[in-house]
Amino acid sequence: MLLIVLAGTTILAFALAPPAEVVRGFFRLQVTPARLLSDFTSSEGEGAALLNAAVVAGLSLLLVRISGIRLSGPTIAAVFTILGFGLFGKTPLNTAPIVLGTWIAARIAGKRLRDYILIAMFGTALGPIVTLVALELGLALALGWAVALGGGILTGILLPPAAIAILRLHQGYSLYNVGLTTGFLGLFAAALAFGRQSQPPGLAIWNVTPSVGLVLLIPGISLLLIVAGIVAGDKQTFAGLGVLITQPGRLPSDFMDVSGTSSVLVNMGVMGLLFWGYSMAVGAPLNGPVLGGILTVMGFAAFGKHPLNTWPIVAGVVVAALAFGHELAAPGVILAALFCTTLAPIAGEFGIHVGFIAGFLHLLIVLRSGAWHAGLTLYNNGFAGGLTAALIVAVIDWIRSNRPERVVSRRGSYQDTHGEDQ
Amino acid sequence: MNRREFVGQLISEMTHYVLDADPQRMVISLHQESDGLHLAVLDSVVRTEDELDSIRSSLNQTRRPELAGYYASLAGYDSLGSARLNLVGWQVKGADVSVSDSGTKIDIWLGGDQFDSSSFSIDDNEK
């Protein structure tokens, strides 16, 4: 199914522009600054962006195969995320050093790349560090690329220890854990890169007139997934869906293990249609970043997200946007409405109200956090979502730890946790 | 992660699981060798056959190195949600789950392929 999606994306790429133009654009994207927000569908054309997305996602799929990892919820989430971010930031060239660095980290730890493959795949969000050093700091060509590749490799080495430590900070309640990790590392990278010069503003390349081909990409993939799920699973599909939508979605929740492949395919398709419909309803352009957001939602519909644990978060973002006078179709807001679903486990575990508060807080943070790391991590929403999750988890943990709990003591009388007999 | 931290995480997650069932008694026994270890967890909770099967399937997972090397590090760090035995299952060689005299006994084995778990299982008299 993934191969069909990638093949379809490639075919669409060549249908939207002349082949020579698509290929030339693809190669130019490899040496294009990729910090947020760089909509590749605008900078080098929709065909080149789609080809870049298909190639970088195809390479990640190849990496999964070579590593001997079976295709499952987390790997599907990673491939769909990379496909989406291939439209606005990730290229084969700027992601390769990160993966190489993570492989080196695995060797240092006496492990194999397959042990860290998810960190490597999601960690490619720091690809803009490579293009920043090579293209934006004014270094000579050879020196720039040498330092860029070295910096990318070093970044990849730092990812596993940071990702594992940060995972415990929010206890798995933010699905984009590597987003928080890359934001954390991005702060150091930005400080280092701009230590001797002023930090430039973020890029603002945003395609406002996407073609019909781009607009219909998500419905096409979604319907394909839904039909495939229903045909493959028969009645079991819907029974599995019933189980799936009761899951909190906390990391790591492989929905394929929980409810089976066919149910996951339908969930992915439904989530794609829902968030595509939302984007259309608020008048957002279906450009590279918006498609990237929807594709990421679809990928994580195999690994933690479903309609019931995502809508409270989105509702929080929408209300926050309206309360603070932001347009729902503005770039930062529409991307927050899509990527805020990283907080789905908060709603899934603690309920609608807490989920709503999480979404509300998320928007306030994410509109500021991009400047902190100069757009060097493509997962700015993952960064902000991770911070939000860490705060909420800390507060709930504190409340629950300090709330007197009535238990039945072995003596048969009631006793609270402070040791006072009732 | 060193061995002490790793074993501590496994014990913590197993403790979390057992305490979720509010037992009157819990005993954790650890036997370490250079090439493997045996962790026995006994409690006073009488579980149904379905519950025992659920424990067995969670602790005897198919190999998931991509999850074991990353997300399984959450084992022992769940202060809010319910315990998740699959975090343990991804990291161990296997587990046996049985009914003891007064509750449930869970034997967890770790070690390489050369590790002979039968050479140092808990003596029947200690159960």
Side-chain angles (χ1 to χ4, degrees):
Chain A
M1 184 56 64
L2 269 178
L3 289 175
I4 294 173
V5 171
L6 297 185
T9 305
T10 306
I11 292 169
L12 181 61
F14 286 101
L16 291 176
E21 186 182 317
V22 170
V23 174
R24 272 198 303 272
F26 168 76
F27 283 110
R28 278 198 297 267
L29 280 178
Q30 310 310 307
V31 289
T32 297
R35 287 187 296 126
L36 289 176
L37 189 61
S38 306
D39 184 351
F40 286 173
T41 68
S42 179
S43 56
E44 292 298 338
E46 295 176 357
L50 286 168
L51 179 62
N52 180 69
V55 170
V56 74
L59 289 172
S60 69
L61 191 56
L62 186 63
L63 194 65
V64 170
R65 292 287 182 190
I66 290 172
S67 301
I69 300 297
R70 76 178 171 96
L71 215 49
S72 59
T75 44
I76 286 175
V79 172
F80 264 76
T81 300
I82 291 173
L83 177 66
F85 279 85
L87 297 170
F88 72 113
K90 293 185 182 183
T91 68
L93 187 59
N94 71 17
T95 56
I98 311 282
V99 175
L100 179 58
T102 311
W103 174 77
I104 292 172
R107 302 300 296 176
I108 292 171
K111 296 173 181 285
R112 299 167 71 172
L113 179 60
R114 66 184 188 183
D115 296 310
Y116 290 156
I117 193 165
L118 294 171
I119 298 174
M121 292 170 75
F122 287 123
T124 52
L126 285 171
I129 288 178
V130 175
T131 47
L132 171 84
V133 176
L135 306 169
E136 296 185 75
L137 292 185
L139 300 175
L141 184 69
L143 176 65
W145 277 105
V147 176
L149 295 177
I153 291 170
L154 178 63
T155 302
I157 293 173
L158 294 174
L159 274 168
I164 290 169
I166 286 173
L167 181 61
R168 295 168 185 166
L169 182 66
H170 57 78
Q171 299 183 26
Y173 286 100
S174 176
L175 293 173
Y176 309 156
N177 177 60
V178 173
L180 179 55
T181 307
T182 55
F184 179 70
L185 294 177
L187 297 176
F188 290 92
L192 195 62
F194 304 118
R196 290 173 61 90
Q197 55 185 286
S198 61
Q199 181 174 317
L203 304 176
I205 304 169
W206 182 256
N207 182 0
V208 292
T209 54
S211 69
V212 175
L214 280 190
V215 172
L216 296 180
L217 179 64
I218 296 297
I221 295 175
S222 295
L223 291 174
L224 179 70
L225 292 170
I226 291 171
V227 170
I230 292 173
V231 170
D234 201 10
K235 291 177 182 175
Q236 292 177 344
T237 302
F238 297 101
L241 273 173
V243 175
L244 189 153
I245 60 170
T246 63
Q247 301 298 309
R250 184 180 176 199
L251 281 176
S253 297
D254 187 346
F255 284 171
M256 283 197 168
D257 286 346
V258 172
S259 61
T261 304
S262 60
S263 306
V264 167
L265 292 176
V266 173
N267 188 46
M268 291 173 70
V270 168
M271 290 291 279
L273 289 178
L274 286 174
F275 281 85
W276 177 82
Y278 172 81
S279 303
M280 293 289 286
V282 301
L286 273 292
N287 55 21
V290 172
L291 290 179
I294 301 173
L295 285 167
T296 303
V297 169
M298 293 170 69
F300 274 86
F303 193 49
K305 296 180 186 177
H306 53 72
L308 296 187
N309 69 0
T310 50
W311 78 261
I313 316 287
V314 178
V317 167
V318 170
V319 170
L322 296 175
F324 288 90
H326 298 294
E327 292 206 9
L328 294 179
V333 178
I334 180 64
L335 294 182
L338 300 172
F339 287 112
C340 70
T341 49
T342 181
L343 294 166
I346 298 269
E349 186 82 36
F350 306 120
I352 294 171
H353 297 92
V354 181
F356 177 86
I357 293 168
F360 194 96
L361 291 175
H362 174 80
L363 182 76
L364 304 184
I365 293 294
V366 79
L367 293 179
R368 290 178 170 272
S369 58
W372 301 347
H373 51 72
L376 286 177
T377 173
L378 296 170
Y379 302 161
N380 183 45
N381 273 273
F383 179 39
L387 293 174
T388 306
L391 174 67
I392 289 176
V393 165
V395 171
I396 293 176
D397 194 13
W398 176 75
I399 291 172
R400 288 189 179 179
S401 297
N402 291 286
R403 186 171 53 194
E405 181 183 3
R406 290 173 70 83
V407 295
V408 180
S409 77
R410 290 184 61 190
R411 297 191 304 273
S413 62
Y414 279 92
Q415 191 176 46
D416 74 10
T417 51
H418 293 168
E420 297 169 357
D421 285 335
Q422 304 295 303
Chain B
M1 189 189 309
N2 63 36
R3 185 184 180 105
R4 187 179 60 186
E5 183 186 0
F6 176 60
V7 174
Q9 283 187 16
L10 297 184
I11 291 174
S12 178
E13 193 67 28
M14 292 306 301
T15 302
H16 187 170
Y17 177 78
V18 172
L19 291 179
D20 277 349
D22 196 21
Q24 278 196 321
R25 182 172 60 87
M26 175 175 69
V27 177
I28 294 179
S29 164
L30 172 69
H31 186 143
Q32 287 196 85
E33 295 289 337
S34 59
D35 60 343
L37 67 82
H38 171 214
L39 185 68
V41 181
L42 299 96
D43 69 13
S44 57
V45 179
V46 178
R47 294 180 170 85
T48 66
E49 196 55 41
D50 285 347
E51 289 172 326
L52 296 177
D53 283 342
S54 173
I55 298 172
R56 285 187 192 102
S57 65
S58 294
L59 290 176
N60 291 287
Q61 298 272 334
T62 53
R63 288 177 63 82
R64 301 290 298 272
E66 79 280 18
L67 298 176
Y70 178 22
Y71 295 117
S73 62
L74 276 174
Y77 283 88
D78 296 13
S79 61
L80 289 175
S82 54
R84 296 182 294 176
L85 293 184
N86 54 353
L87 298 177
V88 174
W90 289 325
Q91 302 185 81
V92 302
K93 189 174 183 179
D96 298 320
V97 182
S98 56
V99 176
S100 67
D101 291 342
S102 58
T104 307
K105 178 169 180 280
I106 303 172
D107 291 291
I108 296 173
W109 311 97
L110 286 94
D113 292 338
Q114 303 301 316
F115 170 58
D116 181 12
S117 59
S118 62
S119 65
F120 61 91
S121 57
I122 285 186
D123 191 291
D124 282 345
N125 294 330
E126 296 181 42
K127 290 181 184 176

